[in-house]
Amino acid sequence: MQRHKLLLIPSLLAILIFLAISAYDSVSVNLEDTGSFTMLDYNVYSEGFNTVLYNLEGDINYTLRAKNQTHYNDNHTELEKPFIRLFQDGKSRWNIVANNGRIPADLTENTIENRNIELSGNVEVFSIDNFGNRTVMSTEFLELNPQNKTLETNQAIRLVTSTLQQSSTGMFADLKIDKIIFHRDIRGYYEKTNN
């Protein structure tokens, strides 16, 4: 009887080990069959970064901050809560915030400074002039060329200053020369200031 018990214990252990290995193999096969196993498609992830980009003269052209950034293998970059500050003549001139940002892959350009930045979700562009007057543009989507300091959208946009409220669908702005072109459905009013 004791001899049977001695043979029974190793046999039970061998059966348990076999079942455990078989169960492990079936779990990994099921993960691959259901698509739950995925490869990471990004190569860089960073949080709380701040980038300063310079122009050819060595002056700050613009800064880019975001809560986080993910750079994908296809060479595009996603930004969460981006904040962009555009500089002109050595001073911060325009500030841009949004919920999300995207720097599309551009195989023709080697550097990120030459790429457009697509901003979406509560996009706000604001500036304060030398006299303390505030200008605010708001939209849901905006394409920014930080090198040329141009903005463009085909979405509804609203411009508000201390004396003007303007809205339209679609807009192009050249911030270097303070030129804004509204495309269609243009509405607005001008308020006279008291001097």
Side-chain angles (χ1 to χ4, degrees):
M1 183 80 169
Q2 283 185 344
R3 188 171 166 209
H4 290 298
K5 284 183 182 178
L6 289 176
L7 289 175
L8 185 62
I9 292 173
S11 299
L12 285 173
L13 284 174
I15 292 171
L16 287 173
I17 291 172
F18 174 76
L19 290 174
I21 291 172
S22 297
Y24 177 76
D25 285 342
S26 71
V27 167
S28 33
V29 169
N30 286 340
L31 284 175
E32 291 172 6
D33 291 342
T34 61
S36 297
F37 179 75
T38 57
M39 295 295 291
L40 297 176
D41 63 345
Y42 64 91
N43 56 11
V44 176
Y45 175 82
S46 58
E47 290 189 1
F49 75 96
N50 187 16
T51 303
V52 179
L53 295 116
Y54 296 89
N55 61 22
L56 295 174
E57 291 79 33
D59 299 322
I60 297 175
N61 190 28
Y62 70 97
T63 62
L64 171 60
R65 270 193 302 186
K67 182 177 179 182
N68 64 53
Q69 160 186 281
T70 306
H71 183 78
Y72 290 86
N73 292 331
D74 69 355
N75 208 27
H76 87 276
T77 303
E78 299 285 335
L79 306 166
E80 183 181 350
K81 300 287 186 195
F83 173 70
I84 300 163
R85 181 171 281 165
L86 300 174
F87 285 76
Q88 192 169 340
D89 299 325
K91 296 179 183 176
S92 172
R93 178 87 197 286
W94 291 93
N95 299 294
I96 306 168
V97 295
N99 289 343
N100 301 297
R102 183 175 198 276
I103 303 172
D106 188 351
L107 301 177
T108 62
E109 297 291 341
N110 294 329
T111 59
I112 200 164
E113 336 34 83
N114 294 325
R115 296 186 195 172
N116 287 346
I117 302 172
E118 297 170 354
L119 301 163
S120 61
N122 296 320
V123 182
E124 186 173 282
V125 181
F126 57 94
S127 175
I128 298 176
D129 68 14
N130 293 335
F131 303 103
N133 300 313
R134 186 175 168 102
T135 300
V136 179
M137 289 182 265
S138 54
T139 185
E140 283 302 308
F141 176 82
L142 188 70
E143 189 168 348
L144 163 69
N145 182 313
Q147 193 69 27
N148 296 329
K149 296 185 177 43
T150 58
L151 309 171
E152 191 166 5
T153 186
N154 59 2
Q155 305 287 315
I157 188 160
R158 184 172 181 193
L159 170 79
V160 177
T161 70
S162 57
T163 58
L164 174 73
Q165 290 191 26
Q166 186 85 30
S167 66
S168 79
T169 303
M171 177 220 55
F172 174 83
D174 185 337
L175 301 179
K176 284 183 183 177
I177 59 173
D178 292 328
K179 180 178 180 179
I180 300 174
I181 301 169
F182 295 101
H183 294 304
R184 61 187 182 284
D185 304 324
I186 302 167
R187 293 193 171 134
Y189 68 88
Y190 177 78
E191 184 178 308
K192 186 177 178 182
T193 59
N194 296 326
N195 288 334

